[in-house]
């Protein structure tokens, strides 16, 4: 019984931690971009204000839409939040960990994406159709890269749960298998940029509909729905980022506060890195994006090969 | 066994009675429904009995015929396939009864119902046969009765053509099966499966047999490149028959392959690898072709090929696991493949039935002419959505559970095999991931184009939802999808039972728990997701209570006159991904040459052609046709000449034998 209560408490702690800290990354990215542009920029907590503002607004629905349009933001946010339960975050162990949870992790993202795409098609707008089509195309490739990365990590750590793969006291052998891990990190970073629709795959700042991918899909959402979608995006970035952090920071100090502190500074560093990339790079031409993703696949394949050779098989 | 035989007799008796009473439509229809329900329920009980108590049953009345014997038995493997077959047969049959009511008086439904029962009875016979000749008899009866069911709309030329392609393709397969069984039988000295199992086959013979089995069963199952009959036959048939074809008939090919694996048992590693590669190719190829289709049933037919690919990936892992002596991997591989067989039958049945309901109301299969049907056909639409979510392997539904098991087997291979095994397992993981992503893409396209947005052909159209007889069976199938997705333990243990029958050893102690434990945790995580969804829903409701909620036109970036023709079509939706894989596909773009100096009208049509049909089979068949024309002089049409041929043939035989 006591164990059950502890499990529930850890679940709530995890959820609160994700909910509270995820929009912060967006704020850091915005601040970094403003710094590069020589501006003061919006405050760090601007994403929180945005979400709070949207939550207090009414909604406008298209007469074309159905129940799917209204449910999709909630389904997407719920799926992404639950996927966060599978990933350890600094001092917080993953509340749910079991053999093969990586598969569930990927498929929860797929579920969220599927419904957002359906919601885009539900409006009957050609702009949103374009966005949905592009999002679906790129996610196919990034899913392959993601699974190959997981396979490489599974070969290294001989485990199949996310905690066993990257965190939870099992330190990854950077000395022995460093090159492979570096490749995994690079590949994973590329996937992260794609999945969160950042430059160079997609530009979250432009409002020219024809060049956008993710933004154009949510043109018709408003009010609470838009807030959920923004929140979902932030949580997705946070969850994938914390996965990357768990690979990059392979040790634990056994002090919860210390671990969480290291984790948080790592995440801030990641956000700064994304901000720097957004400031110094241009968006890729759309027909180049598949090459970008295929390079992520190839990095993962090389990581696999190195692991196989070094792993003594 | 008695229950099974009762079910079989009832089907056969009812089929003859229906022929006799074909004139009295009411009686014929009720006879069909009552015999269908009765024999499905008794059959289901007999199959579940075998699976629950793990008691194989045999029936051997010592009734011999040339080379064969009436010898049937239900082991766990047969029972598993019978289970899925009865579920699908019941749903498709009831649906078919409602679907065909429009044709009462115009066509002889009695013959159709009779053939439906014949198809069911022959599939049942094939699944329980323990003698090769009996198996082939059932197999042929199934092929022929399916042919007549496919060509229901035989006034259309395309339907007759599809029927011919089906008949020729499957008979080519049967030829290979005949050769295979004769080889095995001559080595074993008997056509009974039991004797064949007792004989060790030499490794080179095993390879030959395996290739023959792959072709023979692969044609039926739809392995790429032998799949060409599927995309023709599925759209031609009435929808409930398509559901049965895709859900049951092609699975008999898989059943045959598994039965063959069970009989021969010891395979070299290469066979498992070959099967894995075939699975990967069929899976990725099937879903890519599906993306290129704009006809709903053709799209679903290609998805059957994709799912056969996933099943074959699991079977390949099972065989590789056996070759590496890794029983756990083999068990999970076989169990995953079998569970996917069951799941595919259920969700593909559901998809075909709901597609049929759409076609029945809109009178078209072109998805680019549809749109916005969810508002008019809510039941059909949401049931199609359930089917789509299941087939994409998304959580909450059954496809996820079986794909999960196949992933477990593949990743198990990564852990436990040697370097060759690991490389191929990684290939399997990558292809399964690609299949998953592309399938989700394709069903977003299909569901989006058919049910969402606005209707593309008519601005204001009013369709009526299908009746209860059509929706009822679909609801049943959808419930099974969700039930397995949320409470997987029973079906997983059933598929382990069947895997046990394939391997010939019992499941190691505690293995069922190690497989089921993560799955139960998955479902508990999913329940948390439902809980969070509920919280978000309540939050939204309470926030919007005091706020204005307006309804208006879709925002089209300031354009004042949006029309439904401006929507993104299914073909443009799929275009970006097809462009990435353009080297693997054959595109055909037709546009007429501009006429006169100021051409007013023009058109453009693009389609994705089937490479194996257009680049492989057509040239070969063309060559055969050309060669056989050269031999035309043999066929003179004079009876005397034919008698002469026979005489010479007998003479040569005589000389050869006396020599």
């Amino acid at each position: 019984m006591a164990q059950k209560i502890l499990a529930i408490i850890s679940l709530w702690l995890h959820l609160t931690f994700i909910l509270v800290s995820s929009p912060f990354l967006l704020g850091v990215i915005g601040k970094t971009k403003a710094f590069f542009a020589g501006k003061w920029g919006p405050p760090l907590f601007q994403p929180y204000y945005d979400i709070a503002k949207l939550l207090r607004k009414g909604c406008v629905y298209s007469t074309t839409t159905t129940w799917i349009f209204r449910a999709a933001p909630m389904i997407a946010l719920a799926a992404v939040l639950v996927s966060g339960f599978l990933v350890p975050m600094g001092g917080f162990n993953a509340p749910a960990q079991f053999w093969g949870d990586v598969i569930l992790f990927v498929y929860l993202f797929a579920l969220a994406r599927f419904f957002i795409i359906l919601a885009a098609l539900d409006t009957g707008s050609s702009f949103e159709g374009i966005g949905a089509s592009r999002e679906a195309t790129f996610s196919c490739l990034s899913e392959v890269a993601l699974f190959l990365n997981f396979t490489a990590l599974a070969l290294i750590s001989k485990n199949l749960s996310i905690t066993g793969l990257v965190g939870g006291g099992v330190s990854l052998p950077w000395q022995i298998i460093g090159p492979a891990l570096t490749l995994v990190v690079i590949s994973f970073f590329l996937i992260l940029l794609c999945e969160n629709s950042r430059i160079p795959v997609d530009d979250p700042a432009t409002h020219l509909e024809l060049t956008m991918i993710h933004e154009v899909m949510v043109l018709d959402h408003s009010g609470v729905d838009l807030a959920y979608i923004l929140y979902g995006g932030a949580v997705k970035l946070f969850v994938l980022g914390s996965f990357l952090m768990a690979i990059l920071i392979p040790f634990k100090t056994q002090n919860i506060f210390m671990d969480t502190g290291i984790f948080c500074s790592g995440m801030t560093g990641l956000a700064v890195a994304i901000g720097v990339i957004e400031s110094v790079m241009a968006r890729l031409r759309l027909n180049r994006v598949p090459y970008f993703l295929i390079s992520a696949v190839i990095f993962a394949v090389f990581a696999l090969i190195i692991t196989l050779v070094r792993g003594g098989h | 066994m008695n229950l099974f035989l009762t079910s079989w007799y009832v089907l056969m008796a009812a089929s003859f009675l229906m022929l006799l009473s074909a004139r009295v439509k009411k009686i014929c229809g009720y006879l069909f429904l009552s015999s269908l329900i009765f024999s499905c329920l008794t059959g289901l009980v007999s199959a579940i009995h075998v699976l629950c108590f793990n008691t194989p049953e045999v029936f051997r009345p010592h009734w011999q015929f040339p080379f064969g014997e009436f010898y049937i038995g239900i082991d766990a493997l047969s029972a598993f396939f019978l289970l899925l077959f009865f579920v699908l047969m019941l749903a498709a049959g009831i649906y078919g009864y409602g679907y065909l009511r429009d044709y009462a008086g115009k066509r002889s439904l009695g013959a159709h119902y009779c053939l439906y029962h014949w198809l069911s009875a022959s599939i049942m016979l094939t699944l329980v046969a323990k003698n090769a000749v009996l198996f082939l008899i059932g197999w042929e009866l199934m092929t022929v009765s399916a042919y007549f069911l496919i060509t229901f709309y035989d006034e259309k030329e395309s339907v007759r053509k599809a029927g011919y392609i089906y008949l020729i393709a499957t008979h080519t397969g049967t030829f290979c099966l005949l050769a295979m069984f004769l080889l095995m039988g001559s080595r074993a000295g008997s056509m009974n499966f039991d004797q064949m199992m007792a004989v060790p086959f030499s490794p080179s013979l095993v390879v030959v047999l395996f290739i023959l089995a792959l072709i023979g069963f692969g044609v039926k199952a739809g392995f790429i490149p032998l799949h060409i009959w599927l995309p023709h036959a599925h759209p031609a048939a009435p929808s409930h028959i398509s559901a049965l074809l895709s859900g049951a008939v092609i699975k008999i090919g898989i059943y045959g392959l598994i039965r063959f694996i069970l009989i021969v048992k010891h395979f070299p590693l290469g066979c498992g690898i070959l099967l894995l590669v075939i699975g990967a190719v069929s899976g990725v190829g099937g879903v890519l072709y599906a993306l290129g289709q704009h006809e709903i049933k053709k799209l679903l037919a290609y998805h059957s090929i994709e799912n056969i690919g996933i099943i074959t990936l699991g079977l390949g892992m099972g065989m590789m696991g056996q070759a590496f002596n890794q029983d756990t991997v083999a068990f999970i591989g076989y169990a995953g493949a079998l569970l996917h067989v069951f799941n595919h039958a259920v969700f593909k049945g559901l998809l075909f039935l709901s597609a049929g309901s759409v076609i029945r109301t809109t009178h078209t299969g072109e998805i680019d002419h549809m749109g916005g049907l969810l508002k008019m056909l809510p039941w059909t639409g949401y049931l199609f959505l359930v089917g789509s979510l299941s087939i994409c392997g998304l959580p909450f539904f059954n496809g996820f559970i079986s794909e999960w098991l196949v992933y477990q087997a593949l990743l198990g291979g990564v852990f436990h095999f040697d370097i060759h095994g690991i490389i191929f397992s990684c290939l399997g993981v990558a292809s399964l991931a690609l299949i998953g992503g592309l399938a989700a893409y394709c069903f977003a396209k299909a569901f989006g184009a058919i049910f969402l947005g606005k209707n593309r052909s008519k601005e204001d159209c009013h369709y009526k939802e299908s009746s209860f007889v059509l929706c009822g069976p679909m609801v049943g199938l959808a419930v099974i999808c969700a039930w397995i997705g949320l409470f997987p333990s029973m079906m997983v243990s059933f598929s382990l039972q069947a895997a046990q029958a394939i391997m010939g050893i019992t499941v190691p102690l505690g293995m069922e728990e190690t497989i089921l434990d993560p799955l139960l945790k998955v479902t508990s995580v999913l329940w948390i997701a439902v809980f969070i969804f509920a919280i978000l829903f309540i939050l939204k409701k309470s926030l919007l209570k005091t706020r204005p909620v307006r309804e208006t036109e879709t925002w089209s970036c300031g354009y004042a006159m949006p029309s439904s023709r401006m929507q993104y079509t299914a073909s443009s939706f799929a275009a970006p991904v097809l462009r990435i894989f353009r080297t693997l596909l054959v595109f055909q773009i037709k546009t007429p040459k501009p006429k006169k100096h100021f051409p007013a009208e023009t058109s453009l049509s693009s389609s994705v052609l089937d490479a194996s049909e257009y680049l492989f089979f057509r040239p070969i068949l063309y060559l055969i046709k050309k060669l056989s024309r050269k031999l035309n002089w043999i066929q003179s049409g004079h009876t005397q000449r034919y008698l002469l041929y026979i005489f010479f043939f007998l003479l040569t035989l005589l000389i050869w034998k006396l020599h």
Side-chain angles (χ1 to χ4, degrees):
Chain A
M1 192 64 202
Q3 226 168 6
K4 249 187 183 163
I5 292 172
L6 261 176
I8 290 172
I9 290 175
S10 83
L11 209 72
W12 279 109
L13 267 179
H14 211 76
L15 185 64
T16 328
F17 182 63
I18 297 173
L19 279 177
V20 169
S21 35
S22 52
F24 185 70
L25 292 189
L26 295 182
V28 175
I29 294 174
K31 210 60 179 170
T32 317
K33 283 168 80 175
F35 172 77
F36 268 79
K39 292 188 281 193
W40 187 245
L44 268 179
F45 290 99
Q46 186 61 39
Y48 294 90
Y49 305 145
D50 286 345
I51 291 170
K53 177 188 74 186
L54 286 168
L55 281 177
R56 278 184 285 119
K57 291 207 167 205
C59 283
V60 182
Y61 291 110
S62 160
T63 43
T64 318
T65 56
T66 56
W67 172 87
I68 287 176
F69 182 81
R70 297 169 192 226
M74 295 185 276
I75 294 175
L77 182 54
V80 175
L81 276 175
V82 166
S83 75
F85 289 154
L86 306 172
V87 185
M89 295 174 177
F92 298 93
N93 286 330
Q97 36 182 293
F98 45 89
W99 187 258
D101 56 9
V102 277
I103 306 167
L104 183 65
F105 182 76
V106 179
Y107 273 85
L108 280 171
F109 279 157
L111 181 72
R113 192 186 310 122
F114 190 75
F115 271 94
I116 293 290
I117 289 174
L118 285 191
L121 293 174
D122 200 7
T123 60
S125 147
S126 44
F127 294 108
E128 299 191 30
I130 295 176
S133 156
R134 289 173 183 167
E135 172 107 349
T137 309
F138 301 147
S139 60
C140 286
L141 294 173
S142 74
E143 207 163 277
V144 176
L146 202 55
F147 260 111
L148 283 175
N149 278 325
F150 286 148
T151 316
L153 285 174
L155 260 179
I156 294 170
S157 61
K158 298 279 169 217
N159 206 317
L160 253 193
S161 81
I162 293 178
T163 305
L165 282 182
V166 289
V170 189
S171 56
L172 286 167
W174 271 91
Q175 286 94 357
I176 312 164
I177 210 97
L181 281 176
T182 315
L183 286 172
V184 167
V185 167
I186 295 173
S187 171
F188 203 89
F189 188 64
L190 300 186
I191 297 167
L192 183 141
L193 290 179
C194 169
E195 284 281 322
N196 292 294
S197 35
R198 315 299 313 189
I199 284 179
V201 175
D202 186 7
D203 190 351
T206 151
H207 284 280
L208 186 60
E209 292 85 352
L210 285 177
T211 58
M212 294 190 299
I213 303 169
H214 183 78
E215 288 291 297
V216 76
M217 279 169 64
V218 297
L219 265 184
D220 253 78
H221 289 279
S222 56
V224 184
D225 289 332
L226 190 58
Y228 282 170
I229 284 183
L230 282 184
Y231 219 144
V235 171
K236 195 174 179 184
L237 179 63
F238 192 79
V239 170
L240 281 173
S242 49
F243 199 107
L244 192 62
M245 276 310 119
I247 308 174
L248 281 173
I249 311 172
F251 57 87
K252 281 267 167 96
T253 56
Q254 302 307 330
N255 179 341
I256 292 181
F257 298 102
M258 192 87 147
D259 280 334
T260 314
I262 294 173
F263 172 77
C264 288
S265 40
M267 290 296 274
T268 316
L270 177 72
V272 171
I274 294 174
V276 172
I277 288 176
E278 300 228 324
S279 312
V280 300
M281 269 186 87
R283 235 184 105 257
L284 284 175
R285 224 164 59 216
L286 266 174
N287 50 1
R288 289 298 171 99
V289 175
Y291 299 119
F292 176 83
L293 289 168
I294 287 169
S295 64
V297 174
I298 289 171
F299 281 131
V301 170
F302 276 124
L304 258 174
I305 293 172
I306 294 175
T307 321
L308 282 179
V309 175
R310 287 272 179 102
H313 280 286
Chain B
M1 206 70 212
N2 287 335
L3 278 175
F4 177 83
L5 289 172
T6 319
S7 152
W8 201 75
Y9 288 141
V10 167
L11 275 184
M12 293 308 281
S15 73
F16 287 114
L17 283 177
M18 282 187 305
L19 267 192
L20 291 177
S21 68
R23 289 287 172 85
V24 197
K25 276 143 217 141
K26 269 238 161 99
I27 294 184
C28 185
Y30 289 138
L31 203 59
F32 173 70
L33 271 187
S34 52
S35 59
L36 179 85
I37 293 172
F38 176 79
S39 60
C40 279
L41 292 182
T42 44
L44 271 178
V45 172
S46 74
I48 291 175
H49 182 267
V50 171
L51 281 172
C52 278
F53 301 102
N54 195 16
T55 46
E57 294 171 357
V58 289
F59 177 68
R60 193 173 189 178
H62 292 284
W63 178 22
Q64 311 270 352
F65 46 83
F67 303 109
E69 180 188 356
F70 192 83
Y71 177 22
I72 59 174
I74 309 180
D75 57 357
L77 181 64
S78 304
F80 189 83
F81 276 84
L82 283 173
L83 180 69
L84 79 93
F85 173 66
F86 285 124
V87 169
L88 192 66
M89 171 191 162
L90 184 64
I94 296 176
Y95 179 95
Y97 172 75
Y99 192 77
L100 294 177
R101 265 192 307 196
D102 294 356
Y103 293 99
K106 292 180 206 154
R107 276 164 207 276
S108 85
L109 293 186
H112 185 83
Y113 291 152
C114 167
L115 283 163
Y116 189 88
H117 276 6
W118 268 86
L119 177 67
S120 310
S122 58
I123 288 178
M124 283 161 71
L125 182 65
T126 317
L127 286 177
V128 296
K130 283 178 86 70
N131 178 288
V133 177
L134 196 65
F135 180 90
L136 284 174
I137 291 174
W139 181 269
E140 266 310 282
L141 279 178
M142 171 179 82
T143 306
V144 174
S145 48
Y147 166 76
F148 287 113
L149 290 170
I150 290 170
T151 52
F152 181 70
Y153 303 109
D154 53 5
E155 74 278 4
K156 291 186 200 157
E157 201 205 329
S158 63
V159 171
R160 292 198 299 271
K161 209 178 117 198
Y164 274 128
I165 293 176
Y166 163 74
L167 211 55
I168 293 167
T170 50
H171 275 111
T172 318
T174 312
F175 171 73
C176 292
L177 290 186
L178 199 65
M180 181 193 87
F181 279 128
L182 283 178
L183 271 176
M184 287 165 77
S186 68
R187 192 56 53 94
S190 158
M191 289 301 255
N192 279 348
F193 290 158
D194 294 352
Q195 265 95 328
M196 289 181 186
M197 276 173 80
V199 189
F201 296 97
S202 68
S204 53
L205 184 66
V206 165
V207 175
V208 173
L209 290 175
F210 186 69
I211 302 286
L212 284 174
L214 272 187
I215 299 173
F217 293 120
V219 169
K220 198 64 135 195
F223 292 158
I224 285 180
L226 307 170
H227 66 279
I228 47 164
W229 67 272
L230 269 118
H232 289 284
H234 283 69
S239 292
H240 59 289
I241 300 302
S242 319
L244 210 59
L245 273 183
S246 175
V249 172
I250 64 172
K251 300 302 160 39
I252 306 303
I254 294 290
Y255 167 79
L257 192 60
I258 296 178
R259 182 61 71 188
F260 168 76
I261 294 171
L262 191 159
I263 291 171
V264 177
K265 284 195 293 283
H266 301 290
F267 288 93
L269 176 62
C271 292
I273 291 179
L274 182 62
L275 207 55
L276 188 84
V277 172
I278 289 177
V281 170
S282 302
V284 176
V287 70
L288 275 179
Y289 280 127
L291 272 163
Q293 302 305 320
H294 319 310
E295 212 271 336
I296 171 74
K297 278 164 95 180
K298 215 166 188 178
L299 182 147
L300 291 177
Y302 275 115
H303 269 289
S304 300
I305 299 168
E306 171 229 318
N307 280 285
I308 286 291
I310 297 175
I311 293 164
T312 316
L313 278 177
L315 288 183
M317 281 320 283
M319 281 180 77
M320 281 169 77
Q322 278 184 309
F324 281 114
N325 283 323
Q326 293 291 347
D327 287 343
T328 320
V329 179
F331 262 118
I332 300 179
Y334 283 132
L338 286 165
L339 189 57
H340 202 72
V341 167
F342 184 90
N343 289 343
H344 179 246
V346 175
F347 58 63
K348 189 48 80 61
L350 173 60
L351 284 168
F352 264 118
L353 297 186
S354 43
S357 165
V358 169
I359 293 172
R360 192 166 174 269
T361 42
T362 60
H363 301 291
T364 175
E366 286 293 323
I367 55 179
D368 274 342
H369 295 174
M370 301 177 189
L373 294 182
L374 190 60
K375 284 188 172 159
M376 285 164 274
L377 312 173
W379 281 91
T380 309
Y382 286 120
L383 290 167
F384 193 89
L385 181 64
V386 170
S388 310
L389 290 169
S390 315
I391 199 171
C392 299
L394 292 174
F396 291 103
F397 293 98
N398 57 358
F400 177 72
I401 305 294
S402 44
E403 282 191 26
W404 164 283
L405 287 179
V406 176
Y407 268 121
Q408 292 277 7
L410 288 166
L411 291 167
V414 171
F415 288 137
H416 300 299
F417 291 172
D418 73 355
I419 184 88
H420 307 289
I422 293 178
I423 289 172
F424 282 101
S425 308
C426 289
L427 178 85
V429 171
S431 53
L432 192 53
L434 188 61
I435 292 169
L438 290 173
Y441 192 133
C442 193
F443 274 93
K445 166 191 130 173
F447 185 77
I450 299 173
F451 291 103
L452 302 177
K454 279 184 181 165
N455 200 293
R456 287 178 178 78
S457 48
K458 284 180 244 164
E459 283 276 334
D460 50 296
C461 48
H462 298 285
Y463 295 123
K464 243 183 78 201
E465 177 59 284
S466 303
S467 65
F468 174 73
V469 189
L470 270 76
C471 287
M474 294 198 267
V475 171
L477 292 176
V479 168
I480 296 177
C481 285
W483 170 65
I484 299 177
L486 291 172
F487 307 97
S489 37
M490 188 172 143
M491 281 316 294
V492 170
S493 72
F494 278 177
S495 49
L496 273 175
Q497 291 272 351
Q500 194 169 281
I502 304 172
M503 304 264 292
I505 49 172
T506 49
V507 179
L509 206 68
M511 204 185 92
E512 196 172 331
E513 284 73 37
T514 48
I515 294 177
L516 272 178
D517 187 49
L519 276 176
L520 294 179
K521 284 193 173 139
V522 167
T523 44
S524 59
V525 169
L526 293 180
W527 285 118
I528 298 175
V530 173
F531 180 65
I532 292 180
F533 175 82
I535 292 178
L536 291 174
F537 182 73
I538 293 168
L539 180 70
K540 182 176 163 183
K541 269 268 137 87
S542 60
L543 282 172
L544 285 182
K545 209 177 262 170
T546 53
R547 319 267 175 222
V549 176
R550 283 191 301 129
E551 293 220 341
T552 173
E553 277 287 306
T554 297
W555 168 243
S556 43
C557 300
Y559 187 66
M561 305 274 286
S563 93
S564 67
R565 297 269 295 159
M566 284 166 56
Q567 286 176 97
Y568 225 47
T569 57
S571 16
S572 21
F573 187 78
V577 79
L578 292 178
R579 207 173 298 136
I580 296 177
F581 292 98
R582 62 183 169 267
T583 38
L584 301 177
L585 299 166
V586 185
F587 289 95
Q588 188 185 46
I589 293 173
K590 278 189 198 159
T591 177
K593 275 195 176 155
K595 285 174 200 155
K596 290 189 254 168
H597 294 296
F598 299 100
E601 272 183 14
T602 187
S603 62
L604 178 115
S605 75
S606 70
S607 48
V608 177
L609 298 182
D610 198 312
S612 60
E613 186 182 335
Y614 281 84
L615 303 182
F616 184 64
F617 281 106
R618 285 205 175 194
I620 288 181
L621 291 178
Y622 180 71
L623 206 72
I624 291 175
K625 205 171 151 189
K626 232 166 95 177
L627 283 178
S628 46
R629 199 163 286 161
K630 293 237 166 88
L631 295 173
N632 235 352
W633 56 269
I634 303 175
Q635 300 280 348
S636 62
H638 297 292
T639 319
Q640 293 91 330
R641 254 204 200 183
Y642 292 122
L643 284 175
L644 199 69
Y645 293 155
I646 294 172
F647 174 72
F648 278 124
F649 180 70
L650 286 177
L651 205 67
T652 5
L653 266 188
L654 213 64
I655 292 167
W656 180 51
K657 269 287 161 197
L658 289 178
H659 186 61

